[in-house]
Amino acid sequence: MAELYLAVEQGPRGVSKLVVLKRLRPHLLERGDMQAMLVDEARLGARFNHRNLVEVIDLDQVDGEPYYVMRYVPGADLRTVLGLLRDRQEPLPLSLAVFVASELASALHHAHELRDAGGQRLGVVHRDVSTSNVRLSMGGGVTLLDFGVAKSRGQSTQTRVGATKGNAAYMAPEQCYGHAVDRRADVFALGIVLYEMVTTQRLFAASNAADSMVRVCTAPIVPPSVIRPELPKRLDKIILRALERDPARRFSSAATFGHALEQLAEGHAWSAGGSVLTRLMGSLFERPATPSDPVLPQGSEATPRSERSTEIQPCSYPTEPTDELATLPRMPTVPLAS
């Protein structure tokens, strides 16, 4: 649906920072529903105020083409990390898997609990929680990405009854059937992600989306401890509860799922996950060259956003940390919104 660009937001006196710009693919620019989905995603992202979510910095348009700007997270997606570990025949440390899942549960709960100005819940459901949409930073952070197919009250576009959106291999059964979904669909998807972290094996993947959905709805779920015998039985039960096909039998919220994981980690005295993640990322990837944090000199006045600019360089959201700025071609400067 969309293209991602690495960009540099440039301010006064050499102040700059890396950001990511998201825009529609050229063949979708004439579709009003696609433009509305991009704007809906940006408006939702602007509400985020959580360490594990990427906040939207700006929403604007150029020549009628909408785009938005968000924070850049140097690192790699979880799917890439698991693939590298699988190639090395190395397991992901259990403490780290639980840490990542706990952070994601916290992010989801924040999104699920978002309210409008009148105090009413927006009813947000991500609907696309997957290993591809989890970003692990070089500094040990965990970020949930891409609310592009999220559902919330007040959207300008709505999914029709019977339609499905999201990655088929991470859908909840009710999502596969095209039924109404709530936050428990994201709990199921997070259960899949955690299962795949502790086993480094795909759970419902198949050769096509239809077969994946059949597996989601009918395939027996082998307890992860069968694949990884050292798995604590309590973690086995937590994962299998999240993967209950009946939503009423799952954790009722991402918060209760996360709380169960936190209690498990405390009971095993597992070390701080952030430092473990930093060491893992350092062992898998060469740390990229990044500009120093921008500092505004004392006595200077901040430049209005209308006077700032963003230098745009096309890239897929990097799956491996590299020095993108040194290798990508220069593009014209595009002004940010005031």
Side-chain angles (χ1 to χ4, degrees):
M1 167 185 155
E3 295 176 330
L4 294 167
Y5 292 74
L6 189 65
V8 180
E9 183 180 0
Q10 297 175 327
R13 304 194 185 192
V15 174
S16 65
K17 66 178 178 180
L18 292 176
V19 293
V20 172
L21 183 147
K22 188 170 186 177
R23 54 174 285 190
L24 289 175
R25 296 186 183 277
H27 68 280
L28 297 175
L29 290 176
E30 301 302 318
R31 289 187 52 179
D33 60 330
M34 292 291 101
Q35 292 200 22
M37 283 182 63
L38 187 76
V39 172
D40 282 341
E41 181 183 5
R43 287 174 174 164
L44 179 61
R47 295 176 180 269
F48 295 154
N49 183 22
H50 193 279
R51 67 184 184 280
N52 304 118
L53 294 171
V54 174
E55 65 277 8
V56 169
I57 300 168
D58 247 319
L59 168 64
D60 199 9
Q61 62 179 19
V62 174
D63 297 329
E65 177 187 343
Y67 70 91
Y68 71 82
V69 181
M70 55 186 164
R71 177 170 56 90
Y72 171 57
V73 182
D77 62 72
L78 177 58
R79 182 173 182 176
T80 297
V81 169
L82 293 179
L84 290 172
L85 291 174
R86 193 179 304 116
D87 291 343
R88 294 183 176 191
Q89 297 184 328
E90 294 179 10
L92 185 70
L94 290 178
S95 62
L96 185 51
V98 169
F99 166 73
V100 171
S102 297
E103 294 288 278
L104 294 173
S106 179
L108 283 170
H109 184 65
H110 175 81
H112 294 160
E113 290 292 310
L114 284 176
R115 298 171 185 263
D116 62 19
Q120 298 297 311
R121 280 200 183 97
L122 293 175
V124 174
V125 184
H126 188 289
R127 297 196 294 187
D128 199 17
V129 177
S130 68
T131 54
S132 296
N133 284 334
V134 176
R135 189 81 172 168
L136 305 180
S137 81
M138 299 300 292
V142 179
T143 306
L144 178 63
L145 303 173
D146 201 350
F147 281 72
V149 299
K151 176 185 79 73
S152 68
R153 186 173 51 78
Q155 286 177 312
S156 55
T157 58
Q158 297 291 335
T159 304
R160 69 182 185 277
V161 176
T164 60
K165 287 186 177 181
N167 185 326
Y170 295 89
M171 287 183 179
E174 62 270 26
Q175 202 172 348
C176 295
Y177 286 118
H179 297 165
V181 297
D182 59 24
R183 63 179 67 194
R184 293 172 297 180
D186 288 342
V187 168
F188 188 91
L190 181 54
I192 299 174
V193 169
L194 180 52
Y195 186 105
E196 294 184 353
M197 281 195 288
V198 300
T199 64
T200 63
Q201 295 184 15
R202 300 293 303 278
L203 180 55
F204 296 125
S207 58
N208 57 68
D211 286 349
S212 285
M213 287 191 279
V214 170
R215 286 179 56 80
V216 166
C217 297
T218 63
I221 299 174
V222 176
S225 61
V226 173
I227 302 169
R228 191 168 178 179
E230 74 271 22
L231 199 79
K233 293 300 181 184
R234 189 174 172 190
L235 181 54
D236 231 16
K237 292 179 180 179
I238 290 172
I239 294 172
L240 294 176
R241 182 178 174 188
L243 292 173
E244 287 283 358
R245 290 190 164 100
D246 179 358
R249 295 174 63 86
R250 287 176 214 150
F251 293 103
S252 59
S253 68
T256 55
F257 187 5
H259 182 62
L261 292 172
E262 289 165 5
Q263 287 186 317
L264 174 72
E266 290 174 4
H268 286 269
W270 281 334
S271 60
S275 59
V276 177
L277 179 55
T278 299
R279 290 195 297 272
L280 174 67
M281 296 297 286
S283 71
L284 293 176
F285 303 101
E286 182 180 350
R287 182 172 293 275
T290 55
S292 58
D293 293 335
V295 177
L296 191 66
Q298 282 190 335
S300 301
E301 293 183 359
T303 301
R305 186 166 290 280
S306 58
E307 298 177 20
R308 301 183 187 181
S309 64
T310 298
E311 181 180 294
I312 299 176
Q313 304 175 352
C315 65
S316 61
Y317 204 107
T319 55
E320 296 186 10
T322 58
D323 188 3
E324 300 94 343
L325 294 181
T327 59
L328 292 170
R330 294 275 180 186
M331 295 282 291
T333 295
V334 176
L336 288 176
S338 2

